[in-house]
């Protein structure tokens, strides 16, 4: 009460006090460490990173043509998105990678085996013509050959020609892809990226 509000003079002692002297004595608040990455974020990032690398190697050594190119490029994008996800930069790139990977998976692992089986099951007109000529030729005296059989009914059913192991793998990958998308949308994951973005805007995160 003895200090002057304007000049800082102590009316009792006659000593002038400066406001800076008191501000210097106030301890600066300690900057707390940045919160660690949640377990869920680590699991999603590491799972997608490992899966992208594994599928990329599988596409290089096991597929051919357009399937190899599409899967390899998608897996490469998935690796980049997973790294950014683990760094806390963005989750949107990983969502795009998972959606793109799901679409490529449906085409290459589910649709193409069915189309290829249907193509193989379609009778070849030239083969039908050759079979008809052989069946009606007088030289065909083999009693084991059924000359009355329709040469167009020589192919196996389409269901037996489909690579079911490949289709089952595609369905499993599609299920895992959907599970990861749901996992990313959980509140704790979204809150982690919101906090990281706010700290980044406040300048607390150094690059």
């Amino acid at each position: 009460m003895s200090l002057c509000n304007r000049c800082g003079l102590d009316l009792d002692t006659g000593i002038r006090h400066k406001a800076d002297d008191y501000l210097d004595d106030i301890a600066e608040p300690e900057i707390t460490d940045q919160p660690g990455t949640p377990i869920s974020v680590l699991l999603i990032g590491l799972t997608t990173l490992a899966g992208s690398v594994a599928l990329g190697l599988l596409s290089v050594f096991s597929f051919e043509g357009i399937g190899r190119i599409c899967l390899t490029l998608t897996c490469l994008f998935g690796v980049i998105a997973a790294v950014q996800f683990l760094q806390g930069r963005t989750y949107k790139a990983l969502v795009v990678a998972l959606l793109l990977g799901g679409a490529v998976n449906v085409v290459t692992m589910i649709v193409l085996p069915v189309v290829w089986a249907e193509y193989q099951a379609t009778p070849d007109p030239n083969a039908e013509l050759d079979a008809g000529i052989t069946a009606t030729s007088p030289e065909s005296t083999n009693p084991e050959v059924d000359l009355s059989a329709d040469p167009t009914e020589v192919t196996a059913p389409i269901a037996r020609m489909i690579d079911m192991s490949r289709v089952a793998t595609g369905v499993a990958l599609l299920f895992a892809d959907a599970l990861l998308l749901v996992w990313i949308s959980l509140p704790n994951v979204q809150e982690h990226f919101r906090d990281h973005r706010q700290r980044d805007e406040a300048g607390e995160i150094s690059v």
Side-chain angles (χ1 to χ4, degrees), residues 1-3 9-15:
M1 296 296 294
S2 61
L3 293 179
L9 177 63
D10 191 342
L11 301 179
D12 294 335
T13 61
I15 300 175

Side-chain angles (χ1 to χ4, degrees), residues 89-110:
R89 295 182 179 180
T90 179
Y91 67 90
K92 295 180 181 179
L94 188 58
V95 171
V96 173
L98 290 173
L99 292 175
L100 185 60
V104 174
N105 172 60
V106 169
V107 174
T108 58
M109 301 293 288
I110 300 176

Side-chain angles (χ1 to χ4, degrees), residues 53-168:
V53 173
L55 291 177
L57 295 176
L58 180 65
S59 62
V60 170
F61 294 105
S62 302
F63 295 94
E64 297 179 356
I66 189 66
R68 173 189 294 180
I69 297 175
C70 292
L71 282 176
T72 302
L73 292 178
T74 303
C75 292
L76 180 61
F77 179 69
V79 170
I80 298 174
V83 171
Q84 292 183 345
F85 184 86
L86 288 172
Q87 292 176 344
R89 295 182 179 180
T90 179
Y91 67 90
K92 295 180 181 179
L94 188 58
V95 171
V96 173
L98 290 173
L99 292 175
L100 185 60
V104 174
N105 172 60
V106 169
V107 174
T108 58
M109 301 293 288
I110 300 176
V111 176
L112 283 182
V114 177
V115 173
W116 177 246
E118 184 178 1
Y119 172 76
Q120 289 181 323
T122 303
D124 187 0
N126 296 328
E128 295 175 8
L129 181 61
D130 295 340
I133 294 175
T134 303
T136 57
S137 174
E139 299 177 357
S140 179
T141 58
N142 188 354
E144 296 180 358
V145 177
D146 187 7
L147 299 180
S148 62
D150 188 357
T152 61
E153 299 179 357
V154 295
T155 56
I158 297 179
R160 296 182 181 179
M161 305 179 68
I162 298 176
D163 188 356
M164 296 306 299
S165 61
R166 183 173 177 179
V167 174

Side-chain angles (χ1 to χ4, degrees), residues 38 40-41 44 91 181-195:
S40 57
V41 174
I44 295 173
Y91 67 90
L181 286 173
V182 173
W183 202 354
I184 293 175
S185 63
L186 292 179
N188 59 336
V189 178
Q190 298 293 320
E191 184 179 358
H192 168 72
F193 283 91
R194 283 196 299 267
D195 294 342

